[in-house]
Amino acid sequence: MFDVYRNDKRELLVLSNGSAIPVVCSQNNWRKKRKRVLKVSDEIKSAVQRQGYYVRSLRVTKERMI
């Protein structure tokens, strides 16, 4: 299971359940979005296993809209 957080800059942070927010990401004010997530993509799962967290921007770019 995974915990999902969001900050004011519209960034997404995914951690394994019960993990503390890493020091690299601690400057931002994170808010928990859901209590727990059962499934995530393989890309996110491998990043969490490798480095302990996954961060990405939720901003929509023009390229994504096309």
Side-chain angles (χ1 to χ4, degrees):
M1 290 190 242
F2 299 91
D3 291 331
V4 178
Y5 296 87
R6 207 180 111 208
N7 67 5
D8 297 333
K9 296 179 184 178
R10 295 192 42 85
E11 293 176 332
L12 180 74
L13 173 65
V14 180
L15 301 170
S16 59
N17 194 18
S19 297
I21 295 176
V23 176
V24 176
C25 302
S26 65
Q27 298 95 1
N28 298 326
N29 193 11
W30 296 99
R31 288 174 288 186
K32 193 180 256 190
K33 285 306 286 179
R34 298 179 183 160
K35 292 192 179 194
R36 61 183 183 196
V37 176
L38 298 176
K39 283 184 162 183
V40 294
S41 70
D42 292 333
E43 175 188 351
I44 294 173
K45 191 182 298 183
S46 65
V48 169
Q49 288 175 350
R50 189 173 358 104
Q51 61 190 24
Y53 63 93
Y54 175 81
V55 178
R56 81 160 202 216
S57 176
L58 293 176
R59 292 183 182 139
V60 177
T61 61
K62 291 181 182 180
E63 295 174 6
R64 286 188 192 173
M65 294 176 67
I66 295 175

